[in-house]
Amino acid sequence: MAAPSSLASSHLYRLADLRRAGVAAAAPAHPQQLRLGCSRRRAQRVVAMAGSGKFFVGGNWKCNGTKDSVSKLVTELNAATLEPDVDVVVAPPFIYIDQVKNSLTDRIEVSAQNVWIGKGGAYTGEISAEQLVDIGCQWVILGHSERRHVIGEDDQFIGKKAAYALSQNVKVIACIGELLEEREAGKTFDVCFKQMKAFADSITNWADVVIAYEPVWAIGTGKVATPEQAQEVHAAVRDWLKTNVSPEVASGIRIIYGGSVNAANCAELAKKEDIDGFLVGGASLKGPDFATIINSVTSKKVAA
């Protein structure tokens, strides 16, 4: 699927270039040439990405699983060899969180898929942030397209959810993304920035937030944004944060990609500068495939 011309790619790449120009004076223009001139020094592999912190991979299990299938998946994840410099989180259905917490290696943290907007009480069917903390759940996914477009949650409601979860020390994977008709109409940035504004209107501390860009047309469809399409939106969101929140938040936050990410396409996506990891759906239900996606961080490593 081609990116719409109205996305103004050249303008965004110029912004990205300007953003990187701030470190140009401190960094050599041609690091490869520098390494050739220092051949006696053994090169180390470092992760090169726009956001600071570790590469981040989340697995959203959605409404899938049984006690037996969850047990099998946990066994596969416990046995997997995972690159050390990646933060890994899985999000089981609510009723299996305790099972997963009690059996999954501490190497992988656990997330909920939703949370109530405030303190618990007479809210049938809801789960509070306090309850998540009580069972040792460290993260929550908020703003996923299925909550927005199937359940009907609006931007402001999601932003307030995020603020309350953070106030209770539950870290947030904040999802944004456009519908197919919005992309085809050239409204990708408008939609993503509007969703970002709702988060920014409510969130004051971004230290425990990861942003997940998930184009709705790519979720569970088998379609995936090209690495260039994904990078374009990630760079735009980072520039929006720089202008509307702060340069410090923009340079520090991790922006991850979701939308039919699998073991076959993750390496090429991971190479893009502003893609700091992934939020994975169906492929996270297969232990070996999820491990491959986690280990795609090696595609982002460069010698230094």
Side-chain angles (χ1 to χ4, degrees):
M1 179 176 299
S5 58
S6 58
L7 291 186
S9 303
S10 60
H11 178 62
L12 282 175
Y13 291 133
R14 184 174 66 82
L15 286 173
D17 290 339
L18 288 173
R19 188 177 70 247
R20 290 189 290 272
V23 298
H30 301 289
Q32 186 175 16
Q33 292 179 6
L34 178 64
R35 289 198 302 274
L36 289 173
C38 304
S39 57
R40 294 182 181 179
R41 179 180 168 187
R42 184 176 179 181
Q44 294 180 332
R45 308 299 288 184
V46 297
V47 178
M49 60 188 204
S52 61
K54 292 182 179 179
F55 199 69
F56 185 101
V57 177
N60 181 7
W61 297 359
K62 304 190 181 183
C63 188
N64 294 295
T66 63
K67 286 194 294 184
D68 288 344
S69 68
V70 166
S71 178
K72 178 178 181 294
L73 179 52
V74 167
T75 298
E76 291 174 345
L77 294 175
N78 287 343
T81 300
L82 305 179
E83 288 287 320
D85 46 357
V86 184
D87 286 334
V88 185
V89 174
V90 295
F94 279 127
I95 60 173
Y96 300 122
I97 287 177
D98 216 28
Q99 176 187 348
V100 173
K101 276 292 298 178
N102 291 330
S103 57
L104 186 64
T105 171
D106 291 340
R107 169 72 181 81
I108 301 175
E109 295 187 326
V110 177
S111 172
Q113 297 176 20
N114 185 37
V115 73
W116 179 235
I117 196 170
K119 190 173 181 179
Y123 306 106
T124 301
E126 290 295 337
I127 304 293
S128 71
E130 292 86 349
Q131 290 169 327
L132 295 182
V133 172
D134 187 45
I135 61 171
C137 191
Q138 303 101 320
W139 291 84
V140 64
I141 299 171
L142 294 175
H144 193 281
S145 67
E146 290 149 9
R147 301 296 306 182
R148 294 179 186 272
H149 300 296
V150 179
I151 307 302
E153 296 180 2
D154 65 29
D155 295 344
Q156 289 67 37
F157 185 68
I158 294 164
K160 291 176 181 177
K161 276 188 176 187
Y164 190 79
L166 291 166
S167 77
Q168 300 304 307
N169 298 314
V170 178
K171 292 175 276 192
V172 171
I173 301 171
C175 301
I176 62 172
E178 80 282 11
L179 296 165
L180 177 60
E181 54 266 34
E182 292 167 336
R183 171 164 278 270
E184 291 178 336
K187 296 180 179 179
T188 292
F189 293 167
D190 293 339
V191 172
C192 290
F193 294 167
K194 179 174 177 286
Q195 293 169 349
M196 284 299 307
K197 185 179 185 302
F199 283 119
D201 285 347
S202 296
I203 293 173
T204 56
N205 180 9
W206 292 81
D208 291 329
V209 178
V210 171
I211 297 169
Y213 168 59
E214 294 195 305
V216 183
W217 48 269
I219 298 174
T221 63
K223 298 178 181 178
V224 61
T226 66
E228 292 73 25
Q229 286 174 323
Q231 165 63 23
E232 182 179 50
V233 178
H234 282 229
V237 170
R238 201 177 300 280
D239 283 320
W240 186 93
L241 284 164
K242 182 178 180 180
T243 301
N244 295 279
V245 180
S246 76
E248 293 74 22
V249 168
S251 64
I253 202 160
R254 292 173 289 184
I255 306 175
I256 63 177
Y257 173 76
S260 296
V261 178
N262 56 47
N265 60 32
C266 58
E268 287 303 310
L269 287 161
K271 291 177 182 178
K272 294 299 182 180
E273 177 189 3
D274 285 278
I275 297 179
D276 301 323
F278 301 112
L279 184 57
V280 186
S284 70
L285 299 172
K286 305 171 185 176
D289 285 7
F290 191 53
T292 296
I293 296 169
I294 293 166
N295 292 337
S296 68
V297 70
T298 57
S299 297
K300 213 169 189 68
K301 291 183 178 181
V302 294

